[in-house]
Amino acid sequence: MDVIRDVLDNQLFDRNQRKMGKVDGIVMELRDREPPRLAYIEVGVTTVTRQTAKRLTHELRNSEPQRRGGHGEIRV
């Protein structure tokens, strides 16, 4: 099963068919000499915020050398 393709961004429903949100993240457990296991799925703002923060940090780090001559570090 291709978990990322089949699960990520799909709509979740409760047992009464009410929308619960979309799958924002997938957390896999890596085990020695065994296939990876789906530990849990993430739904909600926390995952989106973490992904946005990572992208923002990457962009800031990449632009920092041009703005300050290559010195300094940015932590977000």
Side-chain angles (χ1 to χ4, degrees), residues 32-63:
D32 289 336
R33 298 185 190 106
E34 293 185 42
R37 181 180 80 85
L38 178 62
Y40 55 92
I41 60 174
E42 296 179 316
V43 179
V45 144
T46 303
T47 304
V48 174
T49 302
R50 184 174 56 244
Q51 292 169 348
T52 303
K54 284 181 183 178
R55 279 187 226 125
L56 178 60
T57 301
H58 176 75
E59 291 299 320
L60 289 173
R61 283 187 179 151
N62 284 343
S63 67

